[in-house]
């Protein structure tokens, strides 16, 4: 139909436009160290308040405890200091894509479809700092909520497995 055809992005101009947009976003977000530095604040600015709200609703703490949990999780991710079950949890979420650099991966998927290998290499290089921080943020925030939620999960008599 007409509407489906308008949203397909399957002609050469659409593909070129997608490649340029991906490169510009990568350059502005991934190519600048300050973008990665700002992204590194996400667990503190977004993660701690969200974790605190979850902990308060679960009656197991609040903002101060969430702050300690998140900062410890960030430190432990940086040092790769995990228990076996935490390591399994993180590995599973890395494998299923949850703890991957999803924004940069979506740009690279577009690049793979629309550009040559040189452009893809430039995008990959420029996105490395932002990408690394994005993965770190996902792991540290995921580990923080896991450390809060898993004991409640076990306390409810549910299976001790990560599933």
């Amino acid at each position: 139909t007409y509407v489906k055809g308008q949203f397909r992005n399957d002609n050469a101009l659409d593909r070129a436009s997608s490649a340029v947009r991906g490169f510009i976003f990568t350059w502005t977000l991934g190519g600048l160290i300050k973008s990665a530095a700002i992204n590194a604040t996400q667990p503190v600015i977004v993660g701690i308040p969200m974790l605190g709200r979850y902990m308060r609703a679960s009656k197991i703490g609040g903002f101060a405890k969430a702050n300690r949990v998140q900062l410890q999780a960030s430190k432990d991710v940086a040092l790769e200091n995990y228990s076996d079950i935490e390591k399994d949890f993180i590995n599973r979420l890395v494998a299923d894509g949850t703890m991957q650099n999803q924004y940069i991966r979506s740009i690279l998927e577009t690049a793979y479809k629309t550009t040559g290998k040189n452009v893809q290499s430039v995008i990959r290089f420029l996105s490395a700092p932002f990408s690394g921080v994005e993965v770190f943020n996902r792991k540290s925030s995921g580990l923080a909520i896991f450390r809060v939620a898993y004991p409640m999960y076990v306390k409810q008599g549910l299976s001790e497995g990560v599933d």
Side-chain angles (χ1 to χ4, degrees):
T1 67
Y2 173 78
V3 173
K4 275 187 180 176
Q6 294 303 308
F7 292 110
R8 249 196 215 141
N9 293 333
D10 60 358
N11 67 39
L13 184 58
D14 290 333
R15 288 189 297 276
S17 171
S18 291
V20 169
R21 281 194 319 268
F23 183 79
I24 290 170
F25 279 121
T26 302
W27 180 262
T28 58
L29 288 178
L32 301 172
I33 298 298
K34 65 183 176 184
S35 295
I38 290 169
N39 192 28
T41 65
Q42 185 178 3
V44 174
I45 293 172
V46 178
I48 291 172
M50 297 293 285
L51 183 60
R53 186 175 356 165
Y54 175 80
M55 292 173 77
R56 198 171 22 256
S58 301
K59 300 184 185 343
I60 56 171
F63 184 79
K65 189 172 180 182
N67 188 47
R68 288 190 303 275
V69 170
Q70 179 63 59
L71 294 178
Q72 184 64 49
S74 294
K75 177 182 171 187
D76 289 343
V77 167
L79 299 174
E80 295 187 11
N81 181 28
Y82 317 119
S83 69
D84 288 340
I85 193 132
E86 290 169 345
K87 190 181 297 184
D88 186 43
F89 168 75
I90 288 172
N91 288 340
R92 286 176 185 234
L93 292 181
V94 166
D96 81 3
T98 302
M99 289 187 177
Q100 291 292 333
N101 50 350
Q102 294 177 359
Y103 178 70
I104 299 301
R105 290 178 84 179
S106 70
I107 289 172
L108 286 172
E109 284 177 18
T110 300
Y112 290 144
K113 294 175 189 172
T114 59
T115 65
K117 290 184 179 183
N118 291 340
V119 173
Q120 295 166 19
S121 295
V122 169
I123 291 172
R124 195 176 302 107
F125 175 77
L126 291 175
S127 67
F130 190 89
S131 179
V133 170
E134 184 179 0
V135 171
F136 178 85
N137 288 348
R138 289 176 180 278
K139 285 181 177 181
S140 65
S141 296
L143 182 60
I145 192 64
F146 180 82
R147 287 178 172 172
V148 169
Y150 185 71
M152 293 188 308
Y153 177 80
V154 172
K155 188 176 179 181
Q156 292 174 5
L158 301 171
S159 166
E160 286 203 27
V162 175
D163 294 335

